[in-house]
Amino acid sequence: MSDNCIFCKIAAGDIPAKKVHEDEEFIAFHDINPAAPTHLLVVPRRHVRSLADVTSEDAGWLGRMTVLAQKLAFDNGCTPGHDGGFRLVVNTGQEGGQEIDHLHFHILGGPRPWNKRAAPAA
Ligand code: AMP
Ligand code: ZN
């Protein structure tokens, strides 16, 4: 838990969110400002600032987070099969357009058209 981190506060239940998943390692919830019909954020409970801060020692939970993202995408409106799919976006650092300094995956999907460039800060 990092002081004044909004995603730590959501993980702790101190700030409400439209949660779609919760387990001991991760939470997932709807982005408050969706850029696609399905726009979820997947967040590790541990406070990691960004993808620039991980090492090979983080491969285990990062792998689990990626598999969880795929499941949540298809459970929450993204179309399965080659005609469907989704985008996984990880804004990283200031030049990467990251606004909240707690690592998170954006899942963006749902029936097109939606603005391909509308991924946050893309
Ligand atoms: P990023 O630019 O990758 O750091 O993205 C941060 C995302 O968090 C943006 O898409 C915001 O819309 C989203 N966001 C900010 N505050 C909240 C909140 N309280 N609940 C849900 N999503 C949020
Ligand atoms: Zn945090």
Side-chain angles (χ1 to χ4, degrees), residues 3-68:
D3 287 348
N4 294 321
C5 171
I6 190 166
F7 286 173
C8 281
K9 287 180 179 167
I10 288 175
D14 295 341
I15 291 179
K18 279 177 64 184
K19 288 180 191 160
V20 296
H21 178 86
E22 239 183 316
D23 63 39
E24 64 276 4
E25 284 187 299
F26 309 110
I27 57 165
F29 48 90
H30 289 273
D31 195 291
I32 206 165
N33 185 22
T38 297
H39 187 171
L40 303 175
L41 301 175
V42 189
V43 178
R45 286 189 183 275
R46 71 178 75 185
H47 183 86
V48 176
R49 190 173 57 174
S50 85
L51 200 57
D53 293 272
V54 306
T55 69
S56 57
E57 293 190 356
D58 298 299
W61 66 264
L62 274 170
R64 291 191 291 279
M65 188 169 162
T66 306
V67 175
L68 175 63

Side-chain angles (χ1 to χ4, degrees), residues 56-118:
S56 57
E57 293 190 356
D58 298 299
W61 66 264
L62 274 170
R64 291 191 291 279
M65 188 169 162
T66 306
V67 175
L68 175 63
Q70 179 244 68
K71 176 181 171 6
L72 292 175
F74 293 132
D75 284 352
N76 289 277
C78 298
T79 311
H82 188 66
D83 292 341
F86 58 91
R87 298 180 69 199
L88 197 62
V89 174
V90 192
N91 295 329
T92 303
Q94 219 173 332
E95 292 188 7
Q98 185 176 2
E99 290 176 358
I100 297 196
D101 287 338
H102 180 136
L103 172 65
H104 52 282
F105 290 177
H106 293 259
I107 298 168
L108 297 130
R112 300 266 180 169
W114 47 275
N115 184 359
K116 195 174 180 182
R117 294 170 55 84

